[in-house]
Structure formats: structure tokens, C-alpha cells
Amino acid sequence: MGLVAAFEWLGQPYRLCGVKMPDDMLTPAYTTLNGRRETPVLIDGDGHVVTETLAIALWLEARDAERRISFPPGSAEADRLHQMLAFLNTGFTAAFSPYWAAFEMADPDPDYQAALRRFGQGAVAKRHRQLEAMIGETRFLLGPRPTLADAVFAGVARWADFHQAIDPAAYPRITGLKARLQDEPAIRFALAVEDGAELAGSGAAQGRVPLAEALALASPQAAPA
Ligand SMILES: N[C@@H](CCC(=O)N[C@@H](CS)C(=O)NCC(=O)O)C(=O)O
């Protein structure tokens, strides 16, 4: 969802392919896109396949010649963007793992689930405290306009609400940022298309691609393990 918002902010043409989770990802064909059977996956115009949120974010950064969602390569701002992306994609995202493990347990075990949620609550609170201290008074994470960091944050920030993991009042900067992101047309669009809405957006979105067609677009030699 966050990377869709990033494409919207970037304003370059792209198409979207939704996958049914986990069914579509369990097929042998899907492993030609991602051997770990995960989303997101990017297929570029040459059929080159890029997996992992961070790698796709850097792919977008490399094509952001107008610096709409990133900063000049080698600048201190670019370092800060990479730091924020890495923090969000590792520590911040990983903190929710116990909550997801409890939520997705095939054979529910209430005691174990309660322990997982307790562990998750501590981990999520710690990462929220750290993020709250990392962000300043700017409108978005790294300044007055949204960047790739805001896109990645938007994708995972909602998990805290889904799992009722935090008290929003305890993190006023994060809570304010989430509210501002909710007001962003690109975020609204990304949330709507995730729910299957018709595409409109900024005009960058060029329609949907069925999975079979996306699989055919990917060049097998280019697909990573
Ligand atoms: N490290 C990967 C993690 C990707 C990931 O966890 N994707 C989830 C969806 S948000 C997924 O595909 N889960 C499938 C599954 O767990 O079966 C990344 O950053 O792209």
C-alpha cells in the first residue's frame, strides 16, 4: 500500500497487480517472481524483477530525477532518508511480528497468544518511542513534503491501530503525522485500490494487470531467487 502511494507521489506511469493472499503466492509460478512467496514485487519495463520493500523503494529513488520523494544522491538528506527507511523496514516493522504470529495462529492457543501480544506490545511501544524521538516538527517524516519514508511508514503505521497496540495520545508526533498522511490523496488512493476500488489517482496508475499477465511480463532470467 505504501509503495503504491510512493508511485502516486512520483507521478510516473505504473500498473498494479493484486494477489490473493496466500493462495496466489503458493503456486509454483509465483516463485518465479519471489522465491520467498511474499509481496511486494516490482517488474520493470524490461521484465526485471525487484523484490523487498527497501529494494523497490531504492529503485523508485533512482528514477526520481525531479526529487519528488527523495533527495540528491550523496546528500545528508539522502543518508537520513536511507536511515529512516531502514529503521522502518527493520526494527519498526519487526516489532509487530508477535502480534501477527498471534493473529495468524492456525491452531489458536489463548495463553501463547496472550504472551505473544504482551511481547509485541513492549516491542511496538519501544519502536514508537524511538520513532517519536527521531521525528521533529516537520509536516512529514523528513520535511514539508512526503518522501519514500512516509510511504513505507504509511504501510506499517496502521498495524498499531489494527492490533490496538498503542495509546495514540502517548505519541503526539506520530499521531499527527498519521492524520496528515490520511489526508493525502495518494494515501487515500492506495488504501482504496487495496480494497479493490477502480483506479483514478494522480493519473500515474495505468490500470490493473492480472497475475497471469504479470507473470508473463517477468523475464525468467532476470528473476532473483
Ligand atoms: N522483507 C519483506 C517482507 C515482505 C512481507 O512480509 N510481505 C507480506 C505482505 S506485507 C507477505 O507477503 N506475506 C505473505 C505471507 O506471510 O504468507 C519486504 O520488506 O518486502
Side-chain angles (χ1 to χ4, degrees):
M1 185 287 277
L3 289 170
V4 171
F7 265 102
E8 288 293 303
W9 284 323
L10 184 65
Q12 294 179 18
Y14 68 97
R15 290 192 287 165
L16 278 170
C17 173
V19 294
K20 190 167 165 6
M21 227 190 263
D23 309 35
D24 286 342
M25 294 147 89
L26 296 176
T27 63
Y30 193 84
T31 63
T32 63
L33 296 183
N34 186 332
R36 296 171 302 288
R37 302 181 189 276
E38 291 178 332
T39 60
V41 173
L42 174 91
I43 306 168
D44 76 8
D46 298 321
H48 179 62
V49 176
V50 184
T51 62
E52 295 291 329
T53 302
L54 207 46
I56 296 170
L58 297 184
W59 186 96
L60 289 163
E61 178 187 42
R63 284 148 188 85
D64 181 20
E66 294 174 10
R67 300 291 150 217
R68 291 187 183 195
I69 53 171
S70 62
F71 300 97
S75 64
E77 290 93 344
D79 290 341
R80 177 113 170 93
L81 170 63
H82 299 161
Q83 177 208 40
M84 189 62 87
L85 284 171
F87 170 74
L88 292 170
N89 191 238
T90 58
F92 194 86
T93 296
F96 291 92
S97 296
Y99 275 108
W100 288 119
F103 181 76
E104 291 169 350
M105 203 171 278
D107 195 6
D109 172 340
D111 288 345
Y112 187 31
Q113 285 170 305
L116 282 167
R117 289 194 186 102
R118 211 163 64 237
F119 183 66
Q121 193 168 38
V124 168
K126 174 181 154 182
R127 295 308 187 180
H128 274 72
R129 277 197 306 276
Q130 292 173 338
L131 180 63
E132 183 79 7
M134 285 163 78
I135 59 184
E137 301 294 340
T138 51
R139 184 162 174 75
F140 294 99
L141 274 173
L142 300 173
R145 60 181 173 84
T147 66
L148 285 162
D150 295 282
V152 170
F153 176 65
V156 290
R158 56 201 177 140
W159 295 352
D161 308 315
F162 179 79
H163 293 294
Q164 298 184 312
I166 57 154
D167 171 10
Y171 310 100
R173 287 178 176 171
I174 294 175
T175 301
L177 172 65
K178 281 163 82 165
R180 288 189 290 281
L181 285 169
Q182 287 297 326
D183 281 344
E184 275 290 304
I187 297 288
R188 288 176 185 273
F189 171 77
L191 287 167
V193 294
E194 189 179 48
D195 286 340
E198 286 303 310
L199 297 181
S202 65
Q206 305 288 301
R208 291 185 190 268
V209 187
L211 180 56
E213 197 182 318
L215 285 162
L217 288 171
S219 144
Q221 310 90 301

